[in-house]
Amino acid sequence: MFYKFFRWFASLLFALALSLSGFTPALAAPPANDNFADAEVITSLPFSVMVDNTEATAEPAEPVGCNFPSNTVWYSFTATENVAVRLSLVFGAVFGRAEVFLSSGPAISDLTFLACASSGSSTNLQLEAGKTYYLRIDGSFGQSGILQMNLEQIFPPANDNFADAEAISSLPFSATPDITNATTEAGEPQGCISPSRSIWYSFTATETMLVRANTSGSGHVSIFLSSGPSISDLTLMTCASNFNPANFNVEAGKTYYLKVDPDFGGAGLLSISLRQMFPPANDNFAGAEVISSLPFSTTIDNTDATTEAGEPSGCSAQSKTVWYSFTPSEEMTVHVDMLGSAGSGSVDIYSSGSGIADLTFITCATVIGPSFFHVEAGKTYYLRVAGDVVGTGTLQINLKPLLPPGNDNFANAEAISSLPFSSTVDITMATMEVDEPMPSCGVGSTDKSAWYSFTPVTSGSVSASIPTAAFAPLFATYTGNLLSGLSEIGCTLYGNMLTFHADAGTTYYFQVTNLYAFDPDASLQFHLDVAPQPVAGFGFSPLDPSIFDNVQFCDTSFDPGAVGVQAVAWDFGDGITSTENCAFHQYAKDGDYTVQQTITTFDGRAASSFQVLHVSTHDVSISKVVAPRTAKVGQTKTITVSLKDARYPETVSVELYRSVPGGWELVGSAIPFVPVLKGSRTTQITFPYSFAPQDAQAGEVTFRAVVTLLNAKDVIPADNEVVSATPTVVKR
């Protein structure tokens, strides 16, 4: 489209440029059928023509058809019989249009526009015998060039016209007609869309019923009620399109017409269907099913449900609705949900009025979210169950009364007979008694609670918690016999664990509640069990202690009961003990010591842990480094390093360095085994050294030895490095 417009626009600019330059091109003569009076006669069908409208003109008083005329040529055709034809314009380099007019006289002013086809499209129409039709070819937006028009006879479907509508004898009915050759007839009603290629069906109901019309493909079905034999006696009722079926009531003995039209003048196959609907008995407000008692649960198939006029708004745009009513005999709160639904929808709850128009919306529940509402005794409430806008399927609604839990009051506290114990309680309708204490860790807005009691037969620690809750919970533990005289022994927020020591024969009360009054109402789970044992543990530093180290022992224990460690006791394995949390201890001699730690929680639970500590003291030293007093360049002499070890046999690394300007240079190394030698005895390590010119240049050289333990920590590193007592004088 853009290309053709650009081409026309470029031609227009070119013509304007020629005009401004004063150049007047030689004009070819217009086509012979340029004017209406000279229309070329089409004598037979099929007819095809290629025409160049470059020099064509538009004469005064030309009628407006699809667009304003610019470069037009004319053709005429007088039908010798009633015939259906297809007019098409071939898509080419020039974008144009072909228009059809009915003539009622000899003048151009006697033309009546009927239809048109643009390049690449076609139109079907019925021609009457003896009448003359004019066809006008023109370029769109003033375009000119070669245009090709085709006119051919077609053979429409048998039910192409209203008078030949195919009778639907029974339901259900379905058909897949080909509308390629369908036409429109004179006087055809508009329907849902402008008629282009329509076919007709008729249905005379033998009984009053609800009917659903549907179509698949790109098209519409317009449904009309007939009040007489003529096409002008039709009254549009409703229409159906793809994915949007239409429901309509038919009365016994009356005839209904269905006109099928493609969208945008399309062609090909269209599928239509018609079936009787069987709405649920409670499809309308007036037929609402009565819910006599709670709990109530039902499953609804809303496939054939409808939406009646005047239905109130609810949660969202809904359709296919069914109705229920409920008149409670007592005041209560009702919980409603749609658990078990296979489709998508909602339940809208209304308070009663004198009719459907007087309903007052209260709340709603959906397939993903429950709700609850308060009802008064003797008042009627309506529930509308609706599917989503286009969906159908199985919907389920469930109603149950929300009553205070059985352990709502202190006097009815649920007794816990054995541990472990778990209980789920819905506190939505729970209350607070007049003398009921407020938990000390709350914020003063608690407005409902439930109670549990526990009397242990043996003494020991117990742990209470709320593992799951749909809101911010808290609970407190009390002792005492009267609600007004309870003594709190512990309180915790957000369901965290509360651990305490329980004495045999003493009754303990647990008050579970919500932290905030505005918290959503729901259930919580209360859990009570024997308290878990604390886990003892410790660390120490250094990890390889000797008798010279003051070893630090630190407690790393934790209490899963959330009470905490009160006391720590240490036995270092050598007869020494401590009660410091982080204790220090120095061992007198090497050996393996079993260190025991014992912890005690604030509620009296105890645990112990053990670790074996290996104390070993390692020390290797250099007694002396012996080097020659004098030497010459190139002469090789021995450097002796004497090692002392009085504790454990060791493998060591010995490195020998010589002095150089600014520091030391490594000249040799060894990894010897050093035995334990008592008294003044030493192990000697020798290194051969060849004296270099650099030594003579300096005049003298000093040697330094460094010993390192390879598999242990040397406790006295200060004696691991020695320099030769006297330097060696070096001459050339």
Side-chain angles (χ1 to χ4, degrees), residues 79-84 126-129 153:
T80 58
E81 59 179 336
N82 292 338
V83 63
Q126 295 275 358
L127 306 183
E128 296 183 40
Q153 182 178 1

Side-chain angles (χ1 to χ4, degrees), residues 315 318 336-347 364-371 385-388 394-398:
C315 288
Q318 303 291 337
V336 57
D337 63 59
M338 300 187 73
L339 295 177
S341 295
S344 176
S346 66
V347 181
C364 67
T366 67
V367 293
I368 60 173
S371 186
V385 183
D388 62 23
T394 300
L395 300 175
Q396 182 169 326
I397 62 168
N398 310 293

Side-chain angles (χ1 to χ4, degrees), residues 180-200:
T180 303
N181 289 340
T183 66
T184 56
E185 59 188 302
E188 193 164 310
Q190 172 80 22
C192 301
I193 58 173
S194 297
S196 57
R197 297 175 179 174
S198 56
I199 57 176
W200 291 85

Side-chain angles (χ1 to χ4, degrees), residues 235-306:
T235 301
L236 180 67
M237 296 178 61
T238 186
C239 61
S241 60
N242 193 20
F243 301 115
N244 190 19
N247 303 334
F248 60 100
N249 286 297
V250 300
E251 297 182 38
K254 290 190 176 181
T255 299
Y256 300 84
Y257 283 86
L258 287 75
K259 182 169 76 93
V260 182
D261 289 286
D263 293 334
F264 311 111
L269 298 176
L270 278 179
S271 295
I272 66 167
S273 62
L274 205 67
R275 70 174 180 87
Q276 182 178 359
M277 295 177 61
F278 299 93
N282 57 340
D283 183 46
N284 294 329
F285 169 79
E289 179 180 335
V290 176
I291 299 173
S292 58
S293 62
L294 300 185
F296 173 80
S297 182
T298 188
T299 300
I300 314 109
D301 185 344
N302 73 324
T303 301
D304 281 354
T306 64

Side-chain angles (χ1 to χ4, degrees), residues 381-446:
Y381 299 84
Y382 286 88
L383 288 76
R384 183 182 67 176
V385 183
D388 62 23
V389 175
V390 297
T392 60
T394 300
L395 300 175
Q396 182 169 326
I397 62 168
N398 310 293
L399 281 78
K400 63 180 180 180
L402 288 179
L403 303 173
N407 56 342
D408 180 40
N409 295 330
F410 172 79
N412 298 321
E414 181 178 346
I416 299 172
S417 58
S418 61
L419 301 182
F421 170 82
S422 286
S423 172
T424 299
V425 59
D426 189 335
I427 66 169
T428 301
M429 300 307 297
T431 62
M432 291 286 284
E433 298 177 75
V434 175
D435 295 330
E436 191 164 331
M438 187 67 64
S440 62
C441 59
V443 294
S445 61
T446 297

